[in-house]
C-alpha cells in the first residue's frame, strides 16, 4: 500500500488530487450546527500536507444517509464552512457531486486550493450494489483528478463508488488518517500486550455479535454495557423490563455465555427510568431487580467499579460503544466512569466508534489520555473481526 509520503516524494505541485475524506459529523437537526467536528479535524493532516505541497485538492465526502438524491438537510455546506475555518482558507462547495458545477469549480483551482464536492450520497450510484452504476459515477469522479488519496477510514468497509471503484481508476495512496488507524489496529490484532480487555456498549447487539464471536478467543476479558447488555442479561434469565432487547439474539448470547462465560463480564446494576427522557425520575437497581415497567438507560455505580477494577491491570484496551444514553445528563455517569478507567490504563487504549469518540469529547474528558481515538466504528470493528475491507483491499494493489 503506497503512502501519502510516497506521493509527496513524487511531487504533487499543480496536480489535481481527489481526496475521499470522512467528514460525516453529527449535525443538529434544527440549527444545522455541527455538534462535534472531530472527524473534520482528523482529516486536516492529509489536506494540509497536500496544500503545502501545492496540490489542487478536490475533496469527496458523505454526510448522513440521504436517499440517493439531493436533500438540503444533508448538504455539506456547514462542513465546507468549518473545514475552511480550520484550514484558514475559503473552501468552496460544488453544487453537485461530479456534475457540471463540480467540473467547472475543479477547473478553476489554483495550487494549494481546496474544493469540497457536495454529499456523494446525493448520487444513488454511490452506494449501489450494481458495479456498472457505481463505475459510471467513479468515472466522473476520476475525471476530476490525476491521483486519488483515500483518507476516509470510517468508510473503508464500504464498497462504494467514491471509496472502492474510483481507486481502480486512478493511481492511489492511503492518506495519513487511514495509515494511522491501520497502524493502531495492527497493534491490537498482532500479539497485543496482555491482559487485553475489550469493552463493548452501544445500542445494537446484532451489529456487534460477529465482532464478539471473533474477539472472544483473543481477549482476556470482554466487558459488556450499554443497550446491548440487556440481551445478555435476558440470556442469563433476568427480566429486563422495557430495556432494549433483541429477542432473536438471546439464544446466541446464551451460547456465548456457555462457551466463554468466564471471560464475559456483565453489569451488576443499572440506572432505570420509566421513560427515555432527561426529566424522568431514575432508580438504580441490581440486574436481578429491573422493574417490568422501566428501561435500563445506564450502568450503575457498582458496575463502574467492577469494570474499573477489571481494567486496572489491562495493558491493551479497545472500547466501542457508550455504556448508557450519555446524550441525556441523568445517564452519563456510566460512560464517564468507564471512559475514565479506559483512559487510566497503563498501555495501549483505543476508543473506536463515532458515538464513543463523541462521548469522550462531550463529557469533557481528556482526549490525550487515550492512545488513539478512532474515527471509524464500523470499519474498526470489521477490521478486528478479521474481515477484508474493500476500501483497503483496493489500495493494496
Ligand atoms: P458507537 O457509535 O460508538 O459504535 P453505537 O452507535 O453502537 O456506538 O451506540 C451509541 C448509542 O447507544 C448512543 O446513542 C447511546 O444513547 C445508545 N445507548 C447506550 N446505552 C443505551 C441503553 N441502555 N439504552 C438505549 N440506548 C443506549
Ligand atoms: Mg454510532
Amino acid at each position: 500500500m503506497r503512502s501519502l509520503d510516497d506521493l509527496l516524494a513524487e511531487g504533487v505541485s499543480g496536480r489535481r488530487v481527489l481526496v475521499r475524506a470522512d467528514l460525516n459529523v453529527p449535525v443538529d437537526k434544527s440549527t444545522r450546527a455541527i455538534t462535534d467536528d472531530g472527524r473534520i479535524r482528523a482529516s486536516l493532516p492529509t489536506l494540509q500536507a497536500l496544500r503545502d505541497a501545492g496540490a489542487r485538492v478536490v475533496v469527496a465526502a458523505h454526510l448522513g444517509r440521504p436517499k440517493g438524491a439531493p436533500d438540503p438537510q444533508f448538504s455539506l455546506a456547514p462542513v465546507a464552512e468549518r473545514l475552511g475555518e480550520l484550514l484558514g482558507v475559503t473552501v468552496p462547495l460544488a453544487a453537485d457531486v461530479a456534475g457540471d458545477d463540480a467540473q467547472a469549480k475543479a477547473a478553476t483551482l489554483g495550487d494549494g486550493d481546496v474544493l469540497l464536492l457536495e454529499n456523494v450520497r446525493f448520487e444513488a450510484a454511490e452506494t449501489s450494489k450494481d458495479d456498472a452504476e457505481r463505475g459510471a459515477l467513479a468515472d466522473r469522479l476520476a475525471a476530476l483528478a490525476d491521483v486519488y488519496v483515500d483518507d476516509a477510514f470510517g468508510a473503508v468497509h464500504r464498497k462504494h463508488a467514491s471509496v472502492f471503484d474510483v481507486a481502480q481508476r486512478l493511481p492511489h495512496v492511503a492518506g495519513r488518517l487511514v495509515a494511522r488507524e491501520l497502524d493502531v489496529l495492527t497493534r491490537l490484532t498482532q500479539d497485543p500486550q496482555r491482559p487485553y480487555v475489550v469493552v463493548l456498549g452501544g445500542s445494537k447487539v446484532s451489529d456487534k455479535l460477529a465482532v464478539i464471536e471473533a474477539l472472544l478467543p483473543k481477549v482476556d476479558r470482554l466487558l459488556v454495557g450499554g443497550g446491548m447488555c440487556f440481551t445478555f442479561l435476558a440470556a442469563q434469565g433476568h427480566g429486563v423490563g422495557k430495556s432494549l432487547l433483541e429477542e432473536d439474539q438471546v439464544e446466541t448470547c446464551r451460547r456465548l455465555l456457555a462457551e466463554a462465560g468466564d471471560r464475559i463480564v456483565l453489569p451488576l446494576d443499572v440506572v432505570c427510568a420509566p421513560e427515555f427522557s432527561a426529566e424522568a425520575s431514575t432508580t438504580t437497581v441490581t440486574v436481578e431487580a429491573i422493574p417490568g415497567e422501566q428501561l435500563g438507560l445506564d450502568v450503575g455505580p457498582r458496575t463502574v467499579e467492577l469494570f474499573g477494577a477489571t481494567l486496572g491491570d489491562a495493558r491493551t484496551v479497545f472500547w466501542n460503544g457508550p455504556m448508557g444514553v450519555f446524550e441525556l445528563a441523568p445517564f452519563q455517569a456510566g460512560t464517564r466512569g468507564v471512559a475514565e478507567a479506559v483512559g487510566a490504563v497503563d498501555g495501549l487504549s483505543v476508543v473506536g466508534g463515532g458515538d464513543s469518540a463523541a462521548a469522550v469529547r462531550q463529557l469533557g474528558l481528556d482526549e490525550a489520555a487515550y492512545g488513539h481515538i478512532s474515527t471509524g466504528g464500523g470499519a474498526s470493528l470489521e477490521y478486528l473481526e478479521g474481515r477484508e475491507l474493500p476500501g483497503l483491499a483496493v489500495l493494496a494493489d
Side-chain angles (χ1 to χ4, degrees):
M1 189 181 293
R2 297 182 71 231
S3 70
L4 190 75
D5 287 327
D6 295 332
L7 178 64
L8 295 175
E10 254 173 35
V12 288
S13 181
R15 288 172 83 189
R16 301 172 307 156
V17 180
L18 177 66
V19 179
R20 176 58 161 100
D22 177 10
L23 307 177
N24 188 24
V25 289
V27 174
D28 185 281
K29 277 202 179 64
S30 45
T31 65
R32 313 267 308 101
I34 295 166
T35 53
D36 178 49
D37 67 0
R39 279 179 165 160
I40 304 179
R41 291 177 182 278
S43 72
L44 297 176
T46 292
L47 297 178
Q48 196 59 60
L50 287 168
R51 287 193 64 215
D52 290 346
R56 304 176 174 196
V57 184
V58 177
V59 182
H62 76 278
L63 183 70
R65 292 177 183 244
K67 296 193 165 51
D71 178 346
Q73 202 199 319
F74 295 103
S75 169
L76 280 170
V79 172
E81 197 182 321
R82 184 75 189 121
L83 181 59
E85 282 167 17
L86 291 168
L87 286 173
V89 63
T90 303
V91 174
L93 175 69
D96 49 30
V97 178
D100 294 343
D101 193 56
Q103 283 170 24
K105 286 201 166 73
T108 65
L109 286 176
D111 296 357
D113 285 351
V114 180
L115 167 70
L116 179 61
L117 305 176
E118 190 46 288
N119 191 338
V120 280
R121 292 193 185 169
F122 284 181
E123 295 269 359
E126 166 69 1
T127 60
S128 172
K129 297 263 179 286
D130 185 289
D131 291 348
E133 273 177 35
R134 285 198 321 276
L137 173 58
D139 284 340
R140 287 193 284 130
L141 284 166
L144 298 171
D146 310 306
V147 53
Y148 174 74
V149 177
D150 188 2
D151 210 25
F153 179 73
V156 290
H157 58 316
R158 308 285 189 204
K159 194 173 179 181
H160 289 171
S162 70
V163 177
F164 178 78
D165 306 81
V166 75
Q168 296 179 318
R169 287 162 169 77
L170 288 172
H172 45 257
V173 306
R176 295 239 199 276
L177 177 62
V178 163
R180 178 161 155 68
E181 298 267 11
L182 277 180
D183 179 52
V184 171
L185 287 171
T186 310
R187 287 165 68 195
L188 286 180
T189 40
Q190 291 174 6
D191 199 17
Q193 280 204 54
R194 294 183 180 277
Y196 175 20
V197 181
V198 169
V199 188
L200 290 179
S203 42
K204 287 185 89 184
V205 193
S206 48
D207 279 2
K208 299 185 185 179
L209 268 179
V211 73
I212 292 179
E213 299 242 22
L215 283 176
L216 265 176
K218 298 176 186 151
V219 303
D220 298 294
R221 292 275 183 282
L222 176 75
L223 315 186
V224 183
M228 61 190 288
C229 75
F230 298 101
T231 306
F232 278 96
L233 292 173
Q236 283 187 323
H238 299 302
V240 297
K242 295 193 291 180
S243 309
L244 265 193
L245 174 65
E246 288 182 61
E247 299 269 11
D248 55 342
Q249 306 296 338
V250 172
E251 202 42 57
T252 310
C253 289
R254 195 172 287 139
R255 175 174 57 75
L256 291 172
L257 287 168
E259 285 169 9
D262 54 331
R263 267 169 289 145
I264 300 176
V265 184
L266 295 174
L268 299 173
D269 55 353
V270 291
V271 180
C272 295
E275 56 183 12
F276 196 103
S277 147
E279 279 76 46
S281 62
T282 65
T283 30
T284 300
V285 298
T286 66
V287 294
E288 291 84 20
I290 300 174
E293 288 308 300
Q294 302 227 350
L295 309 85
L297 294 175
D298 195 9
V299 298
R302 287 181 53 210
T303 305
V304 171
E305 211 171 291
L306 172 69
F307 284 13
T310 313
L311 286 162
D313 67 345
R315 289 293 170 269
T316 306
V317 179
F318 176 74
W319 166 42
N320 166 275
M323 294 293 104
V325 183
F326 72 95
E327 297 92 336
L328 305 180
F331 313 108
Q332 280 177 356
T335 302
R336 177 186 297 282
V338 171
E340 281 170 353
V342 170
V345 160
D346 179 12
L348 175 64
S349 56
V350 180
V351 183
D355 290 288
S356 312
V360 165
R361 291 187 283 263
Q362 276 172 37
L363 298 178
L365 299 166
D366 179 14
E367 289 182 68
Y370 304 91
H372 180 64
I373 300 183
S374 173
T375 53
S380 26
L381 289 173
E382 287 195 19
Y383 186 96
L384 293 178
E385 253 174 69
R387 300 209 341 218
E388 182 182 271
L389 309 185
L392 295 179
V394 76
L395 294 181
D397 47 52

